[in-house]
């Protein structure tokens, strides 16, 4: 039985937001280290490798993946905190990878970030008023205008004006995260990167902060990129979801499509591992156990970088002729195509569902895996 390999799409990339895109990332890469000369082995780490996507105005795009897959490196390149090895980032059509000086400071007012640890992101020696006003340093506002802005943002976050005189250690974790959000919004940005914004908070506080973020998106017309390990948080607030593995995007689709019918086996394995609220269902579920650890990014496997851990490839190899099968170290067998060629991020049919897999999962297969 011969299996069909998905052909690359004619479209240049997963740019589904079209002309309404506020942010576009084109073939962005970050490599650390150097290739050794004269045939020596490489010690170069491809932390982010040829990543492309866009973000529509008013959209929340979720970004998920295992630790070390490149999510934070990607966000830092978008913020211009580190320089990319290749590719570019466009904000309203302008290439921000070439900005410097005043233009770069203006960019940082238009794209802000909320970090994971609300305490570590605030200077413990600064009063809250100074922390929230910090992004306004080059705004041209008077001292009174800055103070009015700070008070207004704190009140919008559910805090009191008098609390502007306090220090970060005098607040709870949830309140500190609200202060971090107030600081990011003080310059009325277009895009907000949320790097695990609620992972350090209690569940009840998480719900309050997520509700606040959703309200603020509607009120200010913000666009979010939400980085999180918590698939339930991503599902609750995102419009689209992007899945990253070993520096590459392996799947992008609308939230409901990702969670009900994932095309990539890695996405299915993540969803299979996520707990469900029904205890009876949770006890009876069979989770996918991926063999081994993620490959060394300095020496990734050839072809599809997931093939050494892919349960779907192993099952598929059992149905293929011997000439189409490759045997890995340890005796596991996978389709030869998975080893020889890296799959392109491909649009399947017309459903705006992109996946980088030679043999994407069918709806019935995915439903069985994540049930």
């Amino acid at each position: 039985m011969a299996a069909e390999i998905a052909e690359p799409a004619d479209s240049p990339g997963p740019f589904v937001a079209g002309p309404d895109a506020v942010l576009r990332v084109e073939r962005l890469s970050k490599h650390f280290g150097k290739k050794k000369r004269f045939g020596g082995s490489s010690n170069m780490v491809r932390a982010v490798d040829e990543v492309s996507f866009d973000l529509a105005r008013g959209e929340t795009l979720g970004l998920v993946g295992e630790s070390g897959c490149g999510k934070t490196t990607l966000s830092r390149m978008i913020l211009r905190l580190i320089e990319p090895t290749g590719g570019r980032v466009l904000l309203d059509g302008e290439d921000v990878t070439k900005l410097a000086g005043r233009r770069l400071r203006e960019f940082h007012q238009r794209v802000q970030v909320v970090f994971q640890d609300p305490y570590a992101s605030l200077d413990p020696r600064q009063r809250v008023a100074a922390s929230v006003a910090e992004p306004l340093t080059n705004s041209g506002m008077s001292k009174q205008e800055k103070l009015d802005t700070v008070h207004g943002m704190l009140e919008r976050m559910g805090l009191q004006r008098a609390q502007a005189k306090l220090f970060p250690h005098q607040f709870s974790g949830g309140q500190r995260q609200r202060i971090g959000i107030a600081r990011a919004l003080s310059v009325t940005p277009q895009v907000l990167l949320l790097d695990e914004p609620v992972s350090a908070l209690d569940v009840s506080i998480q719900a309050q902060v997520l509700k606040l973020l959703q309200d603020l998106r509607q009120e200010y017309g913000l666009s979010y990129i939400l980085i999180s390990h918590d698939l339930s948080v991503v599902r609750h607030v995102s419009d689209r979801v992007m899945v990253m593995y070993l520096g590459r995007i392996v799947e992008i689709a609308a939230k409901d499509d990702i969670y009900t019918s994932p095309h990539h086996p890695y996405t299915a394995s993540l969803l299979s591992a996520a707990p469900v609220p029904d205890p009876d269902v949770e006890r009876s579920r069979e989770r996918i156990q991926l063999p081994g650890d993620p490959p060394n990014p300095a020496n990734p496997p050839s072809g599809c970088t997931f093939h050494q851990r892919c349960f779907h490839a192993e099952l598929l190899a059992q149905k293929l002729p011997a000439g189409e099968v490759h045997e890995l170290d340890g005796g596991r067998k996978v389709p030869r195509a998975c080893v020889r060629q890296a799959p392109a991020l491909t649009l399947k049919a017309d459903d705006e569902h992109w996946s980088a897999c030679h043999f994407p999962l069918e709806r019935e297969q995915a439903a069985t895996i994540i049930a």
Side-chain angles (χ1 to χ4, degrees), residues 288-357:
I288 297 171
Q289 300 288 334
L290 295 180
D293 297 319
N296 181 356
N299 186 28
S302 62
C304 174
T305 55
F306 187 59
H307 77 258
Q308 294 177 342
R309 309 173 72 200
C310 183
F311 65 92
H312 181 53
E314 190 172 10
L315 293 174
L316 196 61
Q318 298 174 9
K319 304 176 183 179
L320 295 177
E324 297 183 31
V325 174
H326 177 85
E327 185 170 338
L328 303 173
D329 294 340
R332 294 181 67 247
K333 296 180 179 180
V334 298
R336 191 174 297 276
C338 298
V339 180
R340 289 196 299 198
Q341 181 183 0
L345 196 59
T346 304
L347 185 65
K348 184 177 181 182
D350 297 319
D351 57 359
E352 295 186 346
H353 194 140
W354 298 79
S355 62
C357 183

